[in-house]
Amino acid sequence: MKILVTGANGQVGHCLHQQLINNSMSFKAVTRKQLDITDVSAVERSLKEYQPNIVINAAAYTAVDKAESDQENAFRINRDGVANLASVSSAIGAAIFHISTDYVFAGNNDHPYREDDDTSPQGIYGQSKLAGEIAVIQTNPKHIILRTAWVFGEHGNNFVKTMIRLGRTRDSLGIVADQHGGPTHAGDIATALIRIAHQYIKTGDLPWGTYHYAGMPHTNWYEFARAIFKQVEAENLYDKATPSLNAIATADYPTPAKRPANSRLDCTKIQTNFGIAPSDWQAALNNIKAYAG
């Protein structure tokens, strides 16, 4: 079995690369420079040459606010590029594992979103990601779509790194407290995908479809920030006091793209079908120094 990973420079792609090395699995991890998924000819050449059994797509346009004024590029990568991977992988008999997002939902449910809940993305980013999901479903029956949320990790840009950076120079920070979700460690997402890949390698089949994978316990951005700075203090990361945190409303921090008030994802299905527990985001913060580089 051979695995091709796209988007190897991203948060999850980087973790996939590192973990696949440690798993001694046969794989190839490519960056955007090495494989532009929006170039269908390049996708065909790459996949037909390598002949992977599984394509894990970690490539994506993730600039949520920028997407509002950059619609063409968001759809080119998140819809058209994904469609290229799904189509070519299907043609060579390969499965595709595709990472998606909570932004496909409106964010107004009063319960954690299940896989079969109605989608209704409120911005360009979510719309482009939903279009990518549809392309995968329509093109390659051997697919795993993994929706996740609030991704953070030691590599790349994310909320944890932003908090640590701002906390070095600010005495106080206003943090949104009325958006709820489950922070998800990028390394845990990679581990989940590799576990599913191992099952496919072992059995030759999977319960294909869409799954949710995110962190527990559910929290909000304000409480997440408090947990981050608690670890900063425990590790004496600063030579100053950590900033005071003020809980603010979404309306107090306007952004070009609308954020879901409810980004909580119900992860029961992936636990039932694969025995994969939610990401433990609190444990992932224990080595806070790894995010401060």
Side-chain angles (χ1 to χ4, degrees):
M1 282 274 185
K2 295 193 291 186
I3 298 173
L4 176 70
V5 176
T6 63
N9 269 350
Q11 291 193 87
V12 178
H14 177 82
C15 292
L16 281 164
H17 189 179
Q18 297 304 310
Q19 291 187 29
L20 286 167
I21 291 173
N22 295 332
N23 271 269
S24 300
M25 296 178 74
S26 180
F27 78 98
K28 181 179 181 180
V30 293
T31 65
R32 183 179 181 182
K33 287 184 178 180
Q34 294 168 316
L35 177 60
D36 180 354
I37 65 171
T38 67
D39 183 342
V40 67
S41 296
V43 172
E44 287 177 344
R45 285 194 305 271
S46 184
L47 269 65
K48 289 179 180 178
E49 176 184 320
Y50 187 62
Q51 289 291 316
N53 303 98
I54 302 170
V55 175
I56 303 181
N57 180 39
Y61 183 110
T62 58
V64 174
D65 287 324
K66 186 179 177 183
E68 294 299 306
S69 58
D70 192 25
Q71 179 173 344
E72 182 178 348
N73 277 325
F75 275 92
R76 189 169 60 86
I77 296 169
N78 291 344
R79 178 192 62 198
D80 303 340
V82 173
N84 292 339
L85 289 171
S87 176
V88 178
S89 62
S90 182
I92 65 171
I96 184 167
F97 295 2
H98 173 62
I99 301 169
S100 193
T101 175
D102 60 292
Y103 276 76
V104 301
F105 297 112
N108 54 11
N109 260 13
D110 59 2
H111 63 263
Y113 279 94
R114 296 181 293 267
E115 288 82 355
D116 58 357
D117 279 329
D118 290 340
T119 53
S120 182
Q122 300 297 293
I124 299 301
Y125 169 68
Q127 291 168 20
S128 67
K129 291 295 288 183
L130 180 59
E133 289 189 11
I134 293 168
V136 169
I137 292 167
Q138 291 179 342
T139 309
N140 191 337
K142 294 196 296 186
H143 67 262
I144 297 290
I145 295 170
L146 195 73
R147 292 181 183 142
T148 189
W150 293 22
V151 179
F152 71 97
E154 297 85 349
H155 176 83
N157 298 315
N158 54 69
F159 183 78
V160 176
K161 288 192 168 188
T162 298
M163 289 297 100
I164 294 172
R165 175 175 53 81
L166 293 177
R168 290 187 187 279
T169 57
R170 305 277 185 89
D171 294 326
S172 65
L173 293 169
I175 310 294
V176 172
D178 57 357
Q179 295 172 20
H180 300 267
T184 315
H185 186 240
D188 291 340
I189 299 171
T191 299
L193 289 166
I194 292 171
R195 281 190 60 178
I196 297 170
H198 272 297
Q199 183 165 325
Y200 183 52
I201 292 167
K202 182 178 179 180
T203 66
D205 197 14
L206 288 174
W208 306 107
T210 300
Y211 291 86
H212 288 172
Y213 181 75
M216 288 289 287
H218 292 139
T219 187
N220 59 56
W221 292 113
Y222 171 77
E223 293 296 340
F224 189 23
R226 286 187 63 193
I228 293 165
F229 286 113
K230 181 179 179 181
Q231 286 302 119
V232 167
E233 289 182 347
E235 295 291 332
N236 295 313
L237 206 58
Y238 297 161
D239 55 5
K240 62 180 281 294
T242 55
S244 62
L245 301 181
N246 304 307
I248 64 173
T250 298
D252 297 326
Y253 189 74
T255 56
K258 183 180 179 181
R259 263 60 176 177
N262 176 20
S263 288
R264 296 174 298 155
L265 299 177
D266 185 322
C267 300
T268 303
K269 183 180 175 184
I270 198 168
Q271 289 182 273
T272 301
N273 286 5
F274 294 107
I276 295 174
S279 174
D280 184 346
W281 63 266
Q282 292 171 316
L285 291 179
N286 285 340
N287 185 21
I288 199 72
K289 290 181 180 178
Y291 302 90

